[in-house]
Amino acid sequence: MAGITDKEKTDTWRLFLETFASVTRNLELKIKEDSAIPATWFDVLLHLHEAPESRLRIGVLAESLVLTPSNATRLFDRLEKAGYVTREATLEDRRGVYIVMTDAGAAAFMDTLPGNRRRVEEIFLGHVNDEDIQSLHRALSKVYKANKG
């Protein structure tokens, strides 16, 4: 059996990028139709919801988002102004800052969660089977681990 060609590798990379852009765009459009918070806000609140004590160091949270550091800072500013997060100094070092989800942020997250799950199913998960999901998870985990700071 012949190996994968350079063209197939390039096509796969391009397909990954185009799929990511398309899924993200469609998810954002659906969220705008029926949600009180944008997809980027939901992403931040999801990370905080899953974090111990609903708090993450600002750098760790910023790295997990698909945003530049300056865009992440502006996003945190908007979330803070809306009352969904607060900033807290770390006890470990004076320069460190935590982003902490507030009760209002937790409520907004929980209100948005069912619709978001439905949209992810409709836009992404509904088009692949369990075997595809396992394969995608394995492949993306390898790439993520190889590129994580």
Side-chain angles (χ1 to χ4, degrees):
M1 182 172 180
I4 301 291
T5 66
D6 285 344
K7 181 177 179 345
E8 289 171 313
K9 290 177 181 179
T10 301
D11 288 348
T12 300
W13 172 246
R14 188 181 70 250
L15 181 60
F16 166 76
L17 293 175
E18 291 173 358
T19 301
F20 175 78
S22 178
V23 166
T24 302
R25 184 175 46 254
N26 286 335
L27 187 59
E28 185 68 43
L29 288 172
K30 291 285 186 183
I31 286 174
K32 282 182 181 177
E33 290 174 7
D34 60 2
S35 178
I37 64 172
T40 52
W41 290 29
F42 181 85
D43 193 25
V44 170
L45 296 176
L46 173 63
H47 281 87
L48 292 172
H49 174 77
E50 293 176 342
E53 300 179 30
S54 296
R55 74 178 57 223
L56 286 169
R57 287 184 71 110
I58 195 167
V60 171
L61 182 54
E63 285 178 12
S64 68
L65 305 171
V66 186
L67 297 171
T68 63
S70 62
N71 285 340
T73 298
R74 285 192 291 275
L75 174 60
F76 301 150
D77 290 343
R78 289 190 299 273
L79 282 160
E80 189 171 31
K81 185 176 180 182
Y84 292 161
V85 301
T86 60
R87 286 180 169 94
E88 292 181 3
T90 64
L91 299 176
E92 300 87 39
D93 70 69
R94 287 178 279 173
R95 294 176 307 179
V97 175
Y98 283 110
I99 298 293
V100 183
M101 185 162 49
T102 64
D103 290 342
F109 173 78
M110 294 310 290
D111 287 346
T112 308
L113 185 59
N116 189 279
R117 283 185 175 155
R118 186 179 63 254
R119 288 184 292 276
V120 169
E121 183 69 33
E122 172 189 327
I123 293 167
F124 184 76
L125 296 174
H127 302 284
V128 293
N129 62 31
D130 290 352
E131 184 178 322
D132 295 332
I133 291 170
Q134 290 172 338
S135 294
L136 271 168
H137 190 272
R138 273 193 308 276
L140 292 173
S141 291
K142 288 178 186 178
V143 174
Y144 178 78
K145 287 176 186 170
N147 287 279
K148 185 162 176 18

Short mmCIF file of all heavy atoms in Angstrom, two decimals, residues 98-128:
data_model
loop_
_atom_site.label_atom_id
_atom_site.label_comp_id
_atom_site.label_asym_id
_atom_site.label_seq_id
_atom_site.Cartn_x
_atom_site.Cartn_y
_atom_site.Cartn_z
N TYR A 98 -5.76 35.75 38.81
CA TYR A 98 -6.75 34.73 38.48
C TYR A 98 -7.95 35.40 37.82
O TYR A 98 -8.32 36.52 38.18
CB TYR A 98 -7.27 34.03 39.74
CG TYR A 98 -6.35 33.01 40.34
CD1 TYR A 98 -5.71 33.25 41.55
CD2 TYR A 98 -6.13 31.79 39.71
CE1 TYR A 98 -4.88 32.30 42.12
CE2 TYR A 98 -5.29 30.84 40.28
CZ TYR A 98 -4.67 31.09 41.47
OH TYR A 98 -3.85 30.16 42.03
N ILE A 99 -8.56 34.68 36.88
CA ILE A 99 -9.90 35.03 36.40
C ILE A 99 -10.83 34.06 37.12
O ILE A 99 -10.63 32.85 37.08
CB ILE A 99 -10.02 34.86 34.87
CG1 ILE A 99 -9.05 35.78 34.14
CG2 ILE A 99 -11.45 35.11 34.42
CD1 ILE A 99 -9.34 37.25 34.26
N VAL A 100 -11.84 34.61 37.81
CA VAL A 100 -12.74 33.81 38.63
C VAL A 100 -14.17 34.02 38.16
O VAL A 100 -14.62 35.16 38.01
CB VAL A 100 -12.62 34.22 40.12
CG1 VAL A 100 -13.51 33.34 41.00
CG2 VAL A 100 -11.17 34.15 40.58
N MET A 101 -14.89 32.93 37.94
CA MET A 101 -16.28 33.03 37.53
C MET A 101 -17.14 33.44 38.72
O MET A 101 -17.01 32.87 39.82
CB MET A 101 -16.78 31.69 36.96
CG MET A 101 -18.19 31.77 36.40
SD MET A 101 -18.67 30.44 35.27
CE MET A 101 -18.20 28.96 36.14
N THR A 102 -18.02 34.40 38.51
CA THR A 102 -18.94 34.86 39.55
C THR A 102 -20.21 34.00 39.52
O THR A 102 -20.41 33.18 38.62
CB THR A 102 -19.34 36.33 39.31
OG1 THR A 102 -20.06 36.39 38.06
CG2 THR A 102 -18.13 37.25 39.29
N ASP A 103 -21.08 34.22 40.50
CA ASP A 103 -22.37 33.52 40.51
C ASP A 103 -23.17 33.88 39.26
O ASP A 103 -23.84 33.02 38.68
CB ASP A 103 -23.16 33.88 41.77
CG ASP A 103 -22.56 33.28 43.03
OD1 ASP A 103 -21.74 32.34 42.92
OD2 ASP A 103 -22.90 33.75 44.13
N ALA A 104 -23.11 35.15 38.84
CA ALA A 104 -23.82 35.56 37.62
C ALA A 104 -23.25 34.85 36.40
O ALA A 104 -23.99 34.45 35.49
CB ALA A 104 -23.74 37.07 37.44
N GLY A 105 -21.93 34.68 36.35
CA GLY A 105 -21.30 33.96 35.25
C GLY A 105 -21.71 32.50 35.24
O GLY A 105 -21.98 31.92 34.18
N ALA A 106 -21.76 31.89 36.42
CA ALA A 106 -22.18 30.49 36.53
C ALA A 106 -23.63 30.33 36.07
O ALA A 106 -23.96 29.36 35.36
CB ALA A 106 -22.01 29.98 37.95
N ALA A 107 -24.49 31.27 36.45
CA ALA A 107 -25.89 31.21 36.04
C ALA A 107 -26.02 31.37 34.52
O ALA A 107 -26.78 30.63 33.87
CB ALA A 107 -26.70 32.29 36.76
N ALA A 108 -25.27 32.31 33.94
CA ALA A 108 -25.31 32.50 32.49
C ALA A 108 -24.81 31.25 31.77
O ALA A 108 -25.39 30.83 30.76
CB ALA A 108 -24.48 33.71 32.10
N PHE A 109 -23.76 30.65 32.30
CA PHE A 109 -23.22 29.42 31.71
C PHE A 109 -24.26 28.31 31.74
O PHE A 109 -24.51 27.65 30.73
CB PHE A 109 -21.95 28.98 32.45
CG PHE A 109 -21.44 27.65 31.99
CD1 PHE A 109 -20.74 27.53 30.81
CD2 PHE A 109 -21.67 26.51 32.75
CE1 PHE A 109 -20.27 26.30 30.38
CE2 PHE A 109 -21.22 25.28 32.33
CZ PHE A 109 -20.52 25.16 31.15
N MET A 110 -24.87 28.09 32.89
CA MET A 110 -25.85 27.01 33.03
C MET A 110 -27.09 27.27 32.16
O MET A 110 -27.66 26.32 31.60
CB MET A 110 -26.25 26.82 34.49
CG MET A 110 -25.11 26.33 35.37
SD MET A 110 -24.21 24.88 34.74
CE MET A 110 -25.45 23.62 34.95
N ASP A 111 -27.49 28.52 32.02
CA ASP A 111 -28.63 28.86 31.16
C ASP A 111 -28.32 28.57 29.70
O ASP A 111 -29.20 28.18 28.94
CB ASP A 111 -29.01 30.34 31.30
CG ASP A 111 -29.69 30.65 32.62
OD1 ASP A 111 -30.11 29.70 33.33
OD2 ASP A 111 -29.80 31.85 32.95
N THR A 112 -27.08 28.77 29.30
CA THR A 112 -26.66 28.63 27.91
C THR A 112 -26.26 27.20 27.56
O THR A 112 -26.31 26.80 26.40
CB THR A 112 -25.49 29.58 27.62
OG1 THR A 112 -25.85 30.89 28.05
CG2 THR A 112 -25.14 29.63 26.16
N LEU A 113 -25.90 26.41 28.55
CA LEU A 113 -25.35 25.07 28.33
C LEU A 113 -26.24 24.16 27.49
O LEU A 113 -25.77 23.57 26.51
CB LEU A 113 -25.00 24.42 29.67
CG LEU A 113 -24.31 23.06 29.61
CD1 LEU A 113 -22.98 23.15 28.85
CD2 LEU A 113 -24.06 22.54 31.02
N PRO A 114 -27.53 24.00 27.79
CA PRO A 114 -28.34 23.07 26.98
C PRO A 114 -28.40 23.44 25.50
O PRO A 114 -28.25 22.58 24.63
CB PRO A 114 -29.73 23.15 27.62
CG PRO A 114 -29.49 23.65 29.01
CD PRO A 114 -28.30 24.56 28.91
N GLY A 115 -28.58 24.72 25.22
CA GLY A 115 -28.62 25.16 23.83
C GLY A 115 -27.28 24.98 23.14
O GLY A 115 -27.21 24.60 21.96
N ASN A 116 -26.20 25.23 23.87
CA ASN A 116 -24.88 25.06 23.28
C ASN A 116 -24.61 23.61 22.96
O ASN A 116 -24.10 23.29 21.89
CB ASN A 116 -23.80 25.61 24.23
CG ASN A 116 -22.45 25.65 23.57
OD1 ASN A 116 -21.77 24.63 23.51
ND2 ASN A 116 -22.07 26.81 23.07
N ARG A 117 -24.98 22.72 23.87
CA ARG A 117 -24.81 21.28 23.60
C ARG A 117 -25.60 20.86 22.37
O ARG A 117 -25.11 20.10 21.53
CB ARG A 117 -25.26 20.46 24.81
CG ARG A 117 -24.27 20.45 25.93
CD ARG A 117 -24.72 19.54 27.04
NE ARG A 117 -23.69 19.46 28.05
CZ ARG A 117 -23.93 19.15 29.31
NH1 ARG A 117 -25.15 18.91 29.73
NH2 ARG A 117 -22.95 19.09 30.18
N ARG A 118 -26.81 21.38 22.25
CA ARG A 118 -27.66 21.06 21.10
C ARG A 118 -27.00 21.56 19.80
O ARG A 118 -26.97 20.85 18.79
CB ARG A 118 -29.04 21.68 21.29
CG ARG A 118 -30.05 21.32 20.23
CD ARG A 118 -31.42 21.93 20.48
NE ARG A 118 -31.37 23.39 20.44
CZ ARG A 118 -31.44 24.21 21.50
NH1 ARG A 118 -31.56 23.70 22.71
NH2 ARG A 118 -31.39 25.51 21.37
N ARG A 119 -26.47 22.77 19.83
CA ARG A 119 -25.83 23.33 18.64
C ARG A 119 -24.56 22.56 18.26
O ARG A 119 -24.31 22.33 17.08
CB ARG A 119 -25.50 24.81 18.87
CG ARG A 119 -26.75 25.69 18.87
CD ARG A 119 -26.39 27.15 18.99
NE ARG A 119 -25.83 27.50 20.30
CZ ARG A 119 -26.54 27.79 21.38
NH1 ARG A 119 -27.85 27.79 21.33
NH2 ARG A 119 -25.94 28.10 22.51
N VAL A 120 -23.74 22.18 19.24
CA VAL A 120 -22.53 21.40 18.95
C VAL A 120 -22.92 20.06 18.32
O VAL A 120 -22.27 19.60 17.37
CB VAL A 120 -21.68 21.22 20.22
CG1 VAL A 120 -20.57 20.19 20.01
CG2 VAL A 120 -21.09 22.55 20.66
N GLU A 121 -23.97 19.47 18.82
CA GLU A 121 -24.46 18.21 18.25
C GLU A 121 -24.90 18.43 16.80
O GLU A 121 -24.55 17.65 15.90
CB GLU A 121 -25.62 17.66 19.09
CG GLU A 121 -26.16 16.34 18.63
CD GLU A 121 -25.22 15.16 18.85
OE1 GLU A 121 -24.46 15.17 19.83
OE2 GLU A 121 -25.26 14.23 18.02
N GLU A 122 -25.65 19.48 16.56
CA GLU A 122 -26.18 19.77 15.23
C GLU A 122 -25.08 20.12 14.23
O GLU A 122 -25.09 19.66 13.09
CB GLU A 122 -27.15 20.95 15.36
CG GLU A 122 -27.67 21.53 14.07
CD GLU A 122 -28.45 22.82 14.32
OE1 GLU A 122 -29.11 22.95 15.36
OE2 GLU A 122 -28.37 23.70 13.45
N ILE A 123 -24.12 20.91 14.66
CA ILE A 123 -23.10 21.44 13.75
C ILE A 123 -21.90 20.50 13.59
O ILE A 123 -21.31 20.43 12.52
CB ILE A 123 -22.64 22.83 14.23
CG1 ILE A 123 -23.80 23.81 14.10
CG2 ILE A 123 -21.41 23.32 13.49
CD1 ILE A 123 -23.57 25.12 14.81
N PHE A 124 -21.57 19.76 14.64
CA PHE A 124 -20.34 18.96 14.60
C PHE A 124 -20.58 17.48 14.89
O PHE A 124 -20.41 16.63 14.01
CB PHE A 124 -19.32 19.55 15.59
CG PHE A 124 -17.99 18.88 15.58
CD1 PHE A 124 -17.09 19.11 14.56
CD2 PHE A 124 -17.63 18.00 16.59
CE1 PHE A 124 -15.85 18.48 14.53
CE2 PHE A 124 -16.40 17.38 16.59
CZ PHE A 124 -15.50 17.61 15.55
N LEU A 125 -20.96 17.16 16.10
CA LEU A 125 -21.02 15.76 16.53
C LEU A 125 -22.04 14.92 15.78
O LEU A 125 -21.84 13.71 15.62
CB LEU A 125 -21.30 15.69 18.04
CG LEU A 125 -20.20 16.27 18.93
CD1 LEU A 125 -20.66 16.29 20.38
CD2 LEU A 125 -18.90 15.52 18.76
N GLY A 126 -23.11 15.54 15.29
CA GLY A 126 -24.13 14.81 14.57
C GLY A 126 -23.68 14.30 13.21
O GLY A 126 -24.37 13.51 12.58
N HIS A 127 -22.51 14.72 12.76
CA HIS A 127 -22.00 14.33 11.45
C HIS A 127 -20.92 13.26 11.52
O HIS A 127 -20.37 12.88 10.48
CB HIS A 127 -21.46 15.57 10.72
CG HIS A 127 -22.50 16.62 10.55
ND1 HIS A 127 -23.51 16.54 9.63
CD2 HIS A 127 -22.72 17.77 11.25
CE1 HIS A 127 -24.29 17.60 9.73
NE2 HIS A 127 -23.84 18.35 10.71
N VAL A 128 -20.61 12.80 12.72
CA VAL A 128 -19.59 11.77 12.89
C VAL A 128 -20.11 10.70 13.84
O VAL A 128 -20.97 10.96 14.68
CB VAL A 128 -18.26 12.36 13.43
CG1 VAL A 128 -17.62 13.28 12.39
CG2 VAL A 128 -18.48 13.12 14.73
#
